[in-house]
Amino acid sequence: QAAADPMSSSDAPEDGPKEASSISQNISDADAFKILLEMKMKKRQKKPTLPSTVTELDTEDGSKVYVVGTAHFSDSSKKDVVKTIQEVQPDVVVVELCQYRVSMLKMDEKTLLKEAKEINLEKLQQAIKQNGVMSGLMQMLLLKVSAHITEQLGMAPGGEFREAFKEASKVPFCKFHLGDRPIPVTFKRAIAALSFWQKVKLAWGLCFLSDPISKDDVEKCKQKDLLEQMMAEMIGEFPDLHRTIVSERDIYLTYMLKQAAKQIELPRASEAEPRKYIPAVVVGVVGMGHVPGIEKNWNSDLNIQEIMSVPPPSTSSKIFKFVIKATVFGLMGYGCYRIGQRTVQFILSMPAAQSYLQKLTEIRSQH
């Protein structure tokens, strides 16, 4: 509106709205884009004052990427994200989420807090249906870790991503990208990397997680994300699992940030006008544990095809899957047997049933 009507409200004639409408109709898309882009550039800080958690990276064509390292349960991290986006006025914001977790961006804190604390049968069934038995169970165990942190701190996860989503919507021409590898791929690759006994040991450790966590612990973990640090402590003896959950995702996140940092083509007034490009400015919002890996991979030629493939299930996975199914069906069968036994005993204890049985006994004795 400001671009369409250069006159101030005090100088505008009575038919100002009509004139503004006429002007806006005469402005081409390219001109409107240029005007709004100039406004954005004026607001963008040439030497932004950024939090200490921000790492600046450059591409060969002059684009800049500001990676905000966050703790997933931290008010301070949310403030860092807001300040960075306001200072640099990015063209793209990339967050450490995939399409399977995008719902957390629009849910309110209260609902998310409730959802994060509740681990029920419905969620388990959904996880298994979506990812398979093994990966679904692994996802539920990791959700249990997240729920444990949520319950201890009274804070819903992903606050920094929601803040990034809100702030990106306030910046003209700012795109919002999901930069993390899909959860099913990560879990299936993680499961394939473990032996049968490693799976049992990991599941045991996750099931009996109960250590208390304070908010100070979270802020200390800005050098390494809390959730990933807790996982690292439990999977330290499983380097293959660390590779699939952390190192491979470092590569994927780096690849997505570099894709987002490609130069931006300016709109043209006509097809005859030559194409013009400008360097992009990107803000990446990722867990602090991924920042060293992103820096390490930044100048490498990356191919994500290999880390997107899902290997076939191993023999140990098939055995573990069979054991889980046999246990579930066994418990269900035993439950049905116990319920049936109690039902029969209850019916037989009723006076009417006892009277009927007594009559049958008398009839048999007479014959």
Side-chain angles (χ1 to χ4, degrees):
Q1 290 175 345
D5 186 5
M7 302 175 68
S8 66
S9 57
S10 58
D11 297 329
E14 291 181 1
D15 60 346
K18 292 180 181 179
E19 188 173 338
S21 177
S22 175
I23 291 171
S24 65
Q25 289 175 0
N26 292 331
I27 288 182
S28 66
D29 290 343
D31 289 337
F33 182 91
K34 286 177 182 177
I35 292 169
L36 289 171
L37 187 61
E38 284 175 9
M39 292 169 62
K40 178 178 177 176
M41 292 301 184
K42 285 179 181 178
K43 196 173 180 182
R44 180 180 286 173
Q45 300 295 324
K46 290 184 179 179
K47 292 183 178 180
T49 305
L50 300 173
S52 60
T53 52
V54 177
T55 300
E56 185 177 336
L57 300 168
D58 299 300
T59 66
E60 294 177 356
D61 55 23
S63 296
K64 286 191 176 293
V65 178
Y66 299 93
V67 183
V68 188
T70 67
H72 292 318
F73 293 83
S74 169
D75 286 327
S76 178
S77 286
K78 290 192 279 188
K79 292 174 184 175
D80 290 352
V81 169
V82 171
K83 181 173 178 59
T84 303
I85 293 176
Q86 289 177 348
E87 287 279 318
V88 306
Q89 294 289 294
D91 303 299
V92 186
V93 171
V94 181
V95 295
E96 185 199 327
L97 287 177
C98 69
Q99 65 266 35
Y100 293 92
R101 293 181 289 162
V102 73
S103 59
M104 73 161 55
L105 293 174
K106 294 186 178 181
M107 293 173 70
D108 62 89
E109 290 281 329
K110 189 176 180 181
T111 305
L112 270 169
L113 194 59
K114 183 181 177 183
E115 284 284 318
K117 287 181 179 179
E118 293 179 354
I119 305 295
N120 52 37
L121 184 60
E122 185 180 346
K123 284 186 178 180
L124 176 60
Q125 289 174 334
Q126 186 179 356
I128 290 175
K129 185 179 179 181
Q130 180 178 295
N131 304 317
V133 175
M134 292 301 304
S135 299
L137 289 171
M138 174 68 80
Q139 183 177 345
M140 289 308 296
L141 290 172
L142 289 175
L143 280 175
K144 185 181 184 298
V145 178
S146 181
H148 171 64
I149 301 172
T150 300
E151 189 172 0
Q152 292 281 316
L153 301 181
M155 183 186 299
E160 74 274 33
F161 302 138
R162 287 187 291 282
E163 290 299 326
F165 184 65
K166 291 175 191 174
E167 287 302 315
S169 67
K170 300 175 186 176
V171 179
F173 311 115
C174 183
K175 297 178 181 178
F176 190 86
H177 289 184
L178 304 175
D180 202 2
R181 183 172 64 179
I183 279 181
V185 176
T186 296
F187 283 129
K188 285 174 182 176
R189 287 183 64 83
I191 289 296
L194 296 177
S195 68
F196 173 77
W197 291 113
Q198 284 176 330
K199 290 168 189 172
V200 172
K201 191 169 184 178
L202 177 63
W204 181 268
L206 291 169
C207 285
F208 292 93
L209 180 72
S210 59
D211 294 338
I213 304 160
S214 69
K215 290 191 177 182
D216 289 337
D217 291 332
V218 178
E219 295 308 323
K220 286 176 186 175
C221 286
K222 293 194 86 175
Q223 297 306 312
K224 191 172 186 182
D225 179 70
L226 177 63
L227 183 57
E228 284 168 10
Q229 178 163 312
M230 292 180 69
M231 286 301 301
E233 290 173 358
M234 286 183 286
I235 65 176
E237 60 190 281
F238 310 138
D240 289 335
L241 191 59
H242 184 274
R243 172 177 52 79
T244 53
I245 291 181
V246 181
S247 301
E248 288 184 358
R249 287 172 59 226
D250 290 345
I251 294 171
Y252 192 91
L253 287 164
T254 306
Y255 178 85
M256 295 302 287
L257 286 168
K258 292 177 83 169
Q259 290 295 307
K262 289 183 176 179
Q263 286 190 322
I264 299 168
E265 182 182 352
L266 296 175
R268 296 177 292 167
S270 66
E271 291 294 327
E273 187 178 334
R275 296 177 183 273
K276 293 180 181 179
Y277 297 86
I278 59 171
V281 173
V282 177
V283 169
V285 182
V286 304
M288 181 58 78
H290 290 292
V291 176
I294 291 171
E295 287 187 275
K296 178 185 173 183
N297 293 303
W298 189 252
N299 294 315
S300 305
D301 292 328
L302 304 174
N303 182 0
I304 63 169
Q305 294 304 315
E306 183 182 346
I307 62 171
M308 288 299 291
S309 63
V310 178
S314 62
T315 304
S316 64
S317 293
K318 291 177 181 177
I319 293 171
F320 195 69
K321 185 177 179 180
F322 174 77
V323 170
I324 291 293
K325 282 187 174 180
T327 303
V328 170
F329 285 116
L331 289 172
M332 287 175 63
Y334 179 72
C336 291
Y337 165 73
R338 292 292 296 170
I339 291 170
Q341 190 181 41
R342 288 183 180 181
T343 302
V344 171
Q345 287 176 349
F346 174 74
I347 292 172
L348 292 177
S349 66
M350 294 177 66
Q354 289 181 351
S355 175
Y356 181 73
L357 288 172
Q358 188 175 0
K359 287 181 181 179
L360 282 176
T361 305
E362 289 174 357
I363 291 170
R364 278 189 177 183
S365 61
Q366 288 174 2
H367 289 283

